[in-house]
Amino acid sequence: MTKEELYQEIKKLPNEMPSDKRLAAYFKGEIVDHQPCMMNAGQGVYAKMVGLANENVNDLEVQCEIIRRKELLYGMRGTRASMNLRTVGEALGSVVYYPKQSTEYITDHFMKRYSQLSDMENLDVKNNAILKGIVEKGKLLKKRFPDMKIGTGCPGPMSAAASVRAVDLLLRDVRKNPENLHKLLELCVSKCLDWLVYAHEEVGFDSSLLFDPVTSTDVLGRKYFKEISKPHFKRLFDGMTEIIGKKPTIHICGHTRQIWDDLREIGVSAFSVDDRESIEESKKKMGNQIMIIGNVAPVDIIRNGSIDEIIAEVKRQLQVAADSPRGYMIGPGCEIPLATPKENIDAFLYAIRKYGAGAQIGHLPKGLESEL
């Protein structure tokens, strides 16, 4: 299919339900217009989708315009005021560089020595400029979009720690200095929860996301996940559940198969599976207890694939995972790259709308009937 043919086919599709109404109806067991989708995209990708690709996506007014256009053009409803992977470190003094059109990154980490733990203990989440700024953004978004649900998120303990102290030092500490590493992880969890209490009181969140790429078994392995990360991860998970009133959705990058049993023990109810794992296998192993999310390859398929390859992969994923007993949200296995062509994103969404049509929890969508 050519790009021109794609956009002609998109015009033939019926108007969509708003995304929040679709998800609510889906979990009630109703038949909805198409399979729920979790985009997992940054502001730069959304800006490209809605025609604002040359704007400064870190500007709040631009973000508000992106939200408006997302709803108008794609039926995507919802806002977010969230920590990112670098927030905890930045709040303490790690130096973060924010490019206008790409993902931020740390140029200098705050914690060089564990004697600096006392500085972290003194972090005042209500008066720190970085943390307070997220809350102020949330309040403004709530005022601008009062009828939209607003979500938030926190980095997992290992990922928060990696924004405070360089990853290579953390991995050395796993074996050589676990006592101080545990103290750092404990403080990361405490500060995230302190901030979440404050932010929720000020803004009022409807959902949350817990993202922890550094806890992947590609980085830690199962042994050190269980010994080092898991206790702190569970404490953060339980704390977020208590504060928000519902369990957070979890995303861990890379291979996670070895810790799927641990995730069930922790009580995870919604898990975003990286494309390095099999969506079919994750459904078999976790689908009776956990809603599965994912996992179309964001680079090999969504960014680099042809329109036909993207459509074919969406159909395959729906065929193997859409009948997962606790529900399935199709989406990328990790964040969609900024360099992804707009037509590829539109092909991804087109395939979900067409072949995921007539979705119902625990069943294959009716849109697949012509393909089976």
Side-chain angles (χ1 to χ4, degrees), residues 37 39 296 302 310 314 330-332 344-352:
C37 171
M39 275 291 288
V296 179
I302 299 179
I310 293 166
V314 168
I330 189 167
N344 285 23
I345 300 169
D346 287 333
F348 174 66
L349 296 172
Y350 159 79
I352 295 170

Side-chain angles (χ1 to χ4, degrees), residues 51 65 83 109 116 123 146 148 204 284:
E65 184 61 21
M83 289 187 177
H109 288 79
Q116 295 172 277
L123 176 65
M148 285 190 184
K284 290 178 181 177

Side-chain angles (χ1 to χ4, degrees), residues 53-343:
N54 295 321
E55 303 292 331
N56 180 4
V57 298
N58 296 315
D59 181 86
L60 187 56
E61 290 302 321
V62 173
Q63 292 181 17
C64 287
E65 184 61 21
I66 289 171
I67 292 168
R68 281 189 284 268
R69 294 193 190 187
K70 276 168 51 183
E71 180 178 17
L72 177 66
L73 298 174
Y74 292 92
M76 296 178 181
R77 287 175 52 83
T79 63
R80 179 166 294 274
S82 173
M83 289 187 177
N84 61 40
L85 287 171
R86 286 147 285 275
T87 298
V88 176
E90 186 176 20
L92 286 163
S94 292
V95 180
V96 181
Y97 178 61
Y98 285 86
K100 284 188 176 182
Q101 293 293 335
S102 61
T103 304
E104 69 278 356
Y105 56 90
I106 294 175
T107 59
D108 185 44
H109 288 79
F110 162 75
M111 186 171 289
K112 307 296 192 300
R113 300 169 302 280
Y114 276 113
S115 59
Q116 295 172 277
L117 283 169
S118 59
D119 296 325
M120 190 171 180
E121 290 172 350
N122 294 327
L123 176 65
D124 183 351
V125 299
K126 292 185 178 181
N127 291 305
N128 179 272
I130 300 297
L131 298 175
K132 189 173 181 179
I134 302 171
V135 174
E136 293 305 313
K137 172 185 174 180
K139 291 162 70 173
L140 186 146
L141 290 173
K142 193 113 178 183
K143 183 177 179 180
R144 294 278 187 93
F145 305 99
D147 60 336
M148 285 190 184
K149 293 186 176 181
I150 183 166
T152 191
C154 290
M158 283 299 298
S159 296
S163 74
V164 178
R165 185 167 169 83
V167 172
D168 59 330
L169 298 179
L170 290 179
L171 295 180
R172 185 191 67 183
D173 296 337
V174 164
R175 292 187 300 163
K176 295 189 174 182
N177 200 352
E179 182 178 351
N180 276 320
L181 177 55
H182 277 294
K183 291 179 182 178
L184 172 58
L185 295 172
E186 183 177 350
L187 276 171
C188 285
V189 171
S190 295
K191 294 305 176 180
C192 283
L193 293 177
D194 288 348
W195 176 82
L196 194 59
V197 169
Y198 155 58
H200 188 47
E201 288 174 350
E202 293 288 321
V203 180
F205 296 113
D206 300 287
S207 63
S208 64
L209 175 66
L210 197 170
F211 38 91
D212 200 358
V214 183
T215 208
S216 164
T217 54
D218 294 326
V219 181
L220 283 183
R222 185 168 188 265
K223 169 180 164 57
Y224 288 119
F225 171 82
K226 291 177 73 71
E227 292 179 8
I228 301 293
S229 179
K230 184 179 177 180
H232 304 284
F233 190 97
K234 177 169 174 50
R235 179 174 163 237
L236 180 57
F237 177 88
D238 289 344
M240 293 176 71
T241 302
E242 181 178 356
I243 293 164
I244 302 298
K246 60 181 68 171
K247 294 179 178 181
T249 296
I250 307 300
H251 178 71
I252 300 173
C253 296
H255 291 98
T256 53
R257 179 190 307 253
Q258 295 179 17
I259 61 172
W260 287 350
D261 287 340
D262 298 283
L263 296 178
R264 284 195 292 263
E265 288 176 12
I266 288 168
V268 171
S269 62
F271 182 58
S272 170
V273 184
D274 190 278
D275 57 283
R276 295 186 188 182
E277 296 289 9
S278 161
I279 198 70
E280 184 173 16
E281 186 67 17
S282 64
K283 181 189 79 169
K284 290 178 181 177
K285 296 291 186 181
M286 297 186 287
N288 285 323
Q289 296 172 269
I290 295 174
M291 180 182 74
I292 304 301
I293 304 168
N295 71 343
V296 179
V299 177
D300 291 346
I301 297 296
I302 299 179
R303 175 183 169 178
N304 296 336
S306 67
I307 290 172
D308 288 333
E309 287 170 335
I310 293 166
I311 293 171
E313 179 61 10
V314 168
K315 287 195 289 186
R316 186 192 73 81
Q317 295 256 352
L318 290 169
Q319 287 165 346
V320 301
D323 60 351
S324 192
R326 293 299 296 271
Y328 171 61
M329 291 180 70
I330 189 167
C334 199
E335 187 169 301
I336 295 175
L338 181 62
T340 304
K342 181 181 185 302
E343 60 268 23

